[in-house]
Amino acid sequence: MDKVEIPKKALAASKSNKKFSFSDSFEKKAALPSLLCFLLIITQCGIMSYIMLYAKELKISSIWIYFAGYIAMILVTRPFIGKIFDKMGHAVM
């Protein structure tokens, strides 16, 4: 096996006494999209919980089919939608 050699500059930079900084751990540009995704998911969880409880109140025992279909559609469409998003961005329409 070949050994990987690390340049001395990189080795010295990794041994620097730089203190931990919270701002270095997170990308500031990702804060707004992350917050919006969080709010979307919280809302979606509330709706999904309501659907489940409402189906239970109506005595619908096969509500699991809806959730299984929902998961299946996410698994089928996510790879294609992800590639489109990566190529064209979030504002395709």
Side-chain angles (χ1 to χ4, degrees), residues 11-44:
L11 191 59
S14 68
K15 291 183 179 179
S16 67
N17 292 331
K18 188 175 181 182
K19 293 183 180 180
F20 175 77
S21 173
F22 187 75
S23 62
D24 291 339
S25 299
F26 299 98
E27 179 63 37
K28 292 174 185 170
K29 293 178 184 177
L32 181 61
S34 297
L35 176 67
L36 294 175
C37 286
F38 175 74
L39 293 174
L40 177 71
I41 294 301
I42 291 296
T43 306
Q44 185 178 7

Side-chain angles (χ1 to χ4, degrees), residues 6 23 27 31 35 39 42 46 48 50 52-53 56 64:
I6 301 172
S23 62
E27 179 63 37
L35 176 67
L39 293 174
I42 291 296
M48 297 293 246
Y50 175 77
M52 186 178 64
L53 292 172
K56 190 174 183 179
W64 65 271

Side-chain angles (χ1 to χ4, degrees), residues 62 76 80:
S62 57
V76 168
F80 304 111

